[in-house]
Amino acid sequence: VEECEWYVLGRFTNAGIVGYSQDSGRVSNLANVFPVIFFLVAALACLTTMTRMVEEQRTQIGALKALGFSRLAISKKYIGYAFSASLVGGILGLALGCTLIPLVIANAFNIMYAIPALEFKPQIGLYFGAVLAAVACTTGAALWACLSTLMAAPADLMRPRAPKAGKRVFLEHIRPLWRRLTFTWKVTMRNLFRYQRRFWMTVIGIGGCTALIVAGFGLHESIFSILNEQFDHVFRYDALLGLDAGQEELDAVERYLADSPWVEDYLQGSDILVEASTRGPAQSAYLRTVADQERFAQFIRLSHRLDGTPAVLTADGVVVTEKLAELLEVSPGDTITLEADGKRVEARVADIAENYAYHYIYVSEEYYRALFGKDARRNVMLLRYSEEAGEAESDAVSADLMALDGVDSYSYIATLRDNFTDSMEAIDYAVVIIITAAAALAFVVLYNLTNINITERVRELATLKVLGFFDREVTAYVYRENLFLTLFGIVLGLVMGRFLHAWMVLTVEVEMVMFGRTAPPYAYWLAAGLTVVFSIAVNVAAHYKLKKVDMVESLKTVE
């Protein structure tokens, strides 16, 4: 490959970022749908924020309208603010999306593919479309908020909007629960469900931040956990020896291995490259023969990922690794086509086994003979070292073996593992970015919504002070609402995080590697804990703002 071009923006199809993946159905569909969902959520958030901003200045807008200013002249202030903020944010986001994110994605593909260094080429049309979408979303929300407010008469605008009427909430119909609530908690529940828009925007905002944190920690664990799973759980051997030897040369290798103090056990086998296919594109896989399943299990463990039970290798079927089964869209009982050395055969899938790196198909020697009409040529040897053997001892064994006739190659599993680790270290930067952005977003969302909540209810809070509430009691009055909203948002975010993590894993995954599909429990605990910490920090900051609420506000006449 002399030149390759990365498409940073635009539809995620086989011609775009996932161009190297044959798994275009599910991944591309998710990648096409996700930006639409993201845009709709962003539009809803912008509409709510700009509506509240305009509502806070109802009196000023009413005075300007009464003085003869046109709707357009009044709207310029808010539309200009939204336009400038979205334009600057769009440009900053474009700079990040066109540099850091492609590097992270390229690093993921570098795990299995040798590709040239990225060459960033400007794509003005796509850049313009991305920024235009951000500007249109925010500016359109500001325009809608202004038009909906300016429809009212000046006299109505110069009065504060009448508070929503109190009404029974659904909790009141659960009488055993409602009777046990204190008066302050009853007031809190009524306030929460009276302002539905504020309730749901706060919950969605907190939930989104929690989901991002879950996805960030989960993505890190899903990527790096495969190293332990593949090279400790699935592969139980320490080195792979490639052979091209006759019987005498093979005997010499076996004598050396039997005499070596560092080699605990070894197993001969056959390992050939085949093309596996069904209805779609073919996938390259290693076909490994199994002579003795019990002894083979000491070197390679064939088991199911979800429950850990052994995968069953029958005399009339093959065991396919999980990612290959997904790409071929097969399940136990289906048939796949195998092509090797110019010969095509049909093999039945007996079971599906856990595996994370590369594709493997395991077949018994009897079934191999039935499929290809000949015995498998034993061209590999799996080695297990003693516990005392380290890298130096492995290098010594490798040097001795490579000096023997008939030995073609030597692969040390620890070295392969280190190569995978080095390839995936840059993904840590993406995880840090996700978690940092989620943390900042959580704090900003909580602070802004709490600040707006106080500003909208300043007369109500001032009245409470006049009635004798102490500062700590007024703070607790607001804290109880924030506490309930935070807990509700965390629960929603943990559910959202599970699906967001699954989507991110499928999007980052390349053909020859399967990442962990579930986020670890600690990701959920950390996400919930960090969100609570941010909520506490916001509440502490809000306490000082509540102390400054002037009691005279409650005595001012609306007229």
Side-chain angles (χ1 to χ4, degrees):
V1 178
E2 295 181 354
E3 180 181 0
C4 76
E5 180 173 345
W6 289 88
Y7 293 88
V8 177
L9 298 175
R11 293 182 70 247
F12 289 1
T13 64
N14 281 350
I17 291 178
V18 295
Y20 290 97
S21 176
Q22 300 288 349
D23 190 11
S24 59
R26 177 177 55 212
V27 174
S28 296
N29 290 336
L30 281 169
N32 287 332
V33 171
F34 189 76
V36 177
I37 298 174
F38 202 163
F39 181 81
L40 293 176
V41 172
L44 179 61
C46 291
L47 179 61
T48 303
T49 303
M50 295 309 301
T51 300
R52 285 182 168 180
M53 178 181 173
V54 173
E55 284 293 325
E56 286 180 6
Q57 301 189 17
R58 280 174 57 88
T59 304
Q60 181 181 349
I61 293 173
L64 292 174
K65 191 173 182 181
L67 291 173
F69 283 81
S70 65
R71 296 178 182 176
L72 179 61
I74 297 172
S75 300
K76 283 181 180 179
K77 170 185 175 181
Y78 307 99
I79 296 175
Y81 171 81
F83 176 82
S84 59
S86 58
L87 181 61
V88 172
I91 293 174
L92 292 177
L94 192 64
L96 179 66
C98 292
T99 55
L100 182 60
I101 294 177
L103 288 174
V104 173
I105 296 174
N107 181 77
F109 283 107
N110 270 322
I111 298 174
M112 296 306 305
Y113 299 101
I115 60 175
L118 290 187
E119 181 180 346
F120 297 97
K121 296 183 179 180
Q123 301 179 63
I124 305 302
L126 292 176
Y127 297 167
F128 179 77
V131 176
L132 179 63
V135 171
C137 176
T138 307
T139 308
L143 179 61
W144 174 267
C146 289
L147 292 178
S148 61
T149 300
L150 288 169
M151 294 298 292
D156 293 331
L157 291 173
M158 285 188 286
R159 295 190 185 94
R161 185 182 292 275
K164 287 190 176 182
K167 59 182 180 180
R168 289 180 178 271
V169 297
F170 74 93
L171 289 179
E172 295 188 50
H173 299 290
I174 310 176
R175 295 195 175 276
L177 174 62
W178 187 256
R179 283 198 300 267
R180 286 172 172 76
L181 294 178
T182 63
F183 171 76
T184 52
W185 272 104
K186 289 179 179 179
V187 173
T188 299
M189 292 298 106
R190 282 177 173 152
N191 283 336
L192 285 172
F193 293 103
R194 182 170 55 165
Y195 300 100
Q196 292 283 335
R197 185 170 60 186
R198 183 175 69 212
F199 175 88
W200 286 112
M201 283 309 303
T202 305
V203 167
I204 292 174
I206 296 173
C209 301
T210 304
L212 283 173
I213 297 174
V214 170
F217 284 112
L219 183 61
H220 177 273
E221 183 67 18
S222 294
I223 292 173
F224 285 89
S225 65
I226 70 171
L227 299 176
N228 295 330
E229 295 295 330
Q230 183 69 33
F231 300 114
D232 292 338
H233 177 72
V234 178
F235 286 175
R236 308 176 72 179
Y237 61 90
D238 298 302
L240 176 68
L241 199 62
L243 303 173
D244 185 11
Q247 188 59 48
E248 292 184 5
E249 297 165 328
L250 187 59
D251 292 340
V253 173
E254 289 184 340
R255 283 195 300 271
Y256 173 82
L257 295 176
D259 295 337
S260 174
W262 308 117
V263 179
E264 182 177 302
D265 197 4
Y266 61 90
L267 178 68
Q268 294 183 33
S270 171
D271 202 349
I272 63 173
L273 188 64
V274 299
E275 294 293 320
S277 61
T278 50
R279 296 176 299 276
Q283 302 290 335
S284 297
Y286 293 100
L287 181 64
R288 283 183 168 174
T289 58
V290 179
D292 184 345
Q293 293 192 45
E294 188 172 332
R295 180 163 164 71
F296 186 81
Q298 299 176 11
F299 292 83
I300 297 178
R301 178 179 293 168
L302 302 181
S303 60
H304 302 130
R305 177 173 58 89
L306 296 179
D307 55 15
T309 57
V312 179
L313 179 60
T314 63
D316 61 346
V318 298
V319 172
V320 179
T321 52
E322 187 171 347
K323 183 62 183 288
L324 179 60
E326 288 184 4
L327 295 173
L328 298 179
E329 298 181 352
V330 296
S331 57
D334 294 338
T335 300
I336 60 174
T337 300
L338 303 179
E339 182 176 356
D341 298 330
K343 185 173 183 179
R344 295 169 61 92
V345 297
E346 301 289 330
R348 190 182 71 86
V349 177
D351 211 340
I352 295 173
E354 177 183 15
N355 191 75
Y356 298 94
Y358 302 102
H359 302 320
Y360 294 93
I361 302 173
Y362 299 95
V363 57
S364 65
E365 288 190 340
E366 296 81 1
Y367 194 42
Y368 182 94
R369 191 180 304 112
L371 290 174
F372 293 94
K374 61 181 180 179
D375 291 330
R377 181 171 174 270
R378 297 190 175 185
N379 58 355
V380 295
M381 191 171 288
L382 308 180
L383 310 182
R384 278 200 301 119
Y385 288 132
S386 61
E387 294 183 359
E388 296 79 13
E391 186 173 353
E393 290 74 17
S394 170
D395 291 342
V397 173
S398 171
D400 293 339
L401 286 172
M402 293 301 294
L404 297 177
D405 293 334
V407 178
D408 277 348
S409 62
Y410 176 89
S411 300
Y412 189 38
I413 292 297
T415 303
L416 182 61
R417 180 175 186 161
D418 291 341
N419 291 338
F420 268 88
T421 303
D422 294 339
S423 299
M424 293 187 290
E425 276 183 354
I427 298 178
D428 277 341
Y429 294 106
V431 174
V432 171
I433 291 171
I434 292 172
I435 295 174
T436 303
L441 183 60
F443 186 85
V444 169
V445 167
L446 284 168
Y447 183 81
N448 280 347
L449 291 174
T450 301
N451 191 47
I452 292 172
N453 186 19
I454 294 173
T455 304
E456 288 181 344
R457 301 166 61 186
V458 63
R459 292 173 63 86
E460 176 187 344
L461 298 174
T463 303
L464 292 177
K465 282 193 170 186
V466 171
L467 293 175
F469 279 62
F470 294 105
D471 287 337
R472 64 177 182 274
E473 292 174 323
V474 176
T475 301
Y477 181 75
V478 176
Y479 280 9
R480 277 188 291 270
E481 297 182 18
N482 289 349
L483 174 63
F484 184 86
L485 292 173
T486 300
L487 294 178
F488 200 93
I490 288 174
V491 173
L492 179 63
L494 296 180
V495 177
M496 293 167 56
R498 180 179 181 274
F499 293 99
L500 180 60
H501 168 262
W503 174 83
M504 293 180 69
V505 166
L506 289 175
T507 303
V508 175
E509 218 173 56
V510 294
E511 279 182 7
M512 302 294 286
V513 176
M514 187 181 82
F515 294 145
R517 298 303 173 87
T518 57
Y522 80 82
Y524 296 96
W525 287 110
L526 280 176
L530 288 175
T531 307
V532 170
V533 170
F534 300 145
S535 179
I536 293 174
V538 168
N539 287 336
V540 170
H543 172 69
Y544 295 98
K545 186 176 181 66
L546 290 169
K547 289 175 66 175
K548 297 178 181 179
V549 172
D550 188 4
M551 288 186 285
V552 178
E553 287 289 333
S554 67
L555 305 177
K556 290 181 179 179
T557 175
V558 176
E559 302 297 333

